[in-house]
Amino acid sequence: MRKALAILLLTLATSLPALALQPAAAEAAVTPTRAERRVLGAINIVRAAHDLAPLRFRPSLVRAARAHARDMAGRDVLTHLSDNGWTVGTRVRYFGYTTDGCTFWKAGENIACAQVGSGFATSRAIVSLWMDSPDHREVLLTRSFRDIGVGIRLSGDGWRYFTVDLGRRID
């Protein structure tokens, strides 16, 4: 049963060895939505306040985050596991954020959902809630992250699902 305000926040940050997955799509251009840009803006304001480098959109991470937000909204569930059982690491590699040729590779993810109209379904509110959670805060303030993808999807019953996938690749 859902409460008027039901926000479940989970996090996963992983450093994984290279896996041999072929990406589904190349690093073709992706245009972030206004809402996705707002999430990035709110996160970068927080990172600047902590003397951290700003994050930049990476098309592969945007595609991965959008796919996961869509999957969660379609199933009406908040989880780091895709319907097919993929974790964030598997998912971002599938969408092109590969480990090929890297000396360092790291990925992390924050997810959330909030009922539209509750005041908590905005980009700023979600980032603020993540910052109030030690695990989510740690992901957003990970010094090594430089890349981000944001996905936001509305479910059929009026819940907004947010996914941010963060990463860093060093060749």
Side-chain angles (χ1 to χ4, degrees), residues 5-167:
L5 169 62
I7 297 182
L8 176 62
L9 302 172
L10 301 170
T11 191
L12 177 65
T14 58
S15 283
L16 300 172
L19 293 181
L21 286 178
Q22 294 301 316
E27 281 290 312
V30 171
T31 303
T33 67
R34 184 183 321 167
E36 291 167 347
R37 288 191 309 268
R38 284 187 192 137
V39 170
L40 174 60
I43 291 170
N44 277 339
I45 287 170
V46 167
R47 286 179 63 87
H50 290 86
D51 296 321
L52 297 173
L55 300 171
R56 63 185 179 265
F57 280 115
R58 179 65 81 103
S60 54
L61 293 178
V62 172
R63 284 191 294 278
R66 285 177 177 172
H68 193 57
R70 182 176 51 250
D71 176 53
M72 290 189 302
R75 293 187 295 145
D76 214 14
V77 62
L78 191 63
T79 179
H80 286 286
L81 290 178
S82 298
D83 188 34
N84 62 4
W86 286 356
T87 64
V88 60
T90 304
R91 194 169 43 253
V92 300
R93 282 190 294 276
Y94 176 80
F95 283 96
Y97 200 73
T98 66
T99 55
D100 297 340
C102 293
T103 59
F104 178 84
W105 185 93
K106 184 172 185 156
E109 178 172 84
N110 280 354
I111 59 174
C113 72
Q115 191 167 31
V116 172
S118 69
F120 289 93
T122 68
S123 301
R124 275 192 194 168
I126 290 298
V127 172
S128 178
L129 289 169
W130 282 331
M131 289 302 292
D132 287 341
S133 162
D135 290 338
H136 297 90
R137 178 184 179 91
E138 182 179 342
V139 171
L140 295 181
L141 299 181
T142 297
R143 183 170 298 281
S144 61
F145 287 148
R146 293 291 188 277
D147 303 323
I148 191 170
V150 179
I152 304 168
R153 182 60 77 141
L154 186 63
S155 71
D157 60 351
W159 289 78
R160 185 168 286 146
Y161 286 81
F162 295 80
T163 300
V164 293
D165 288 331
L166 301 97

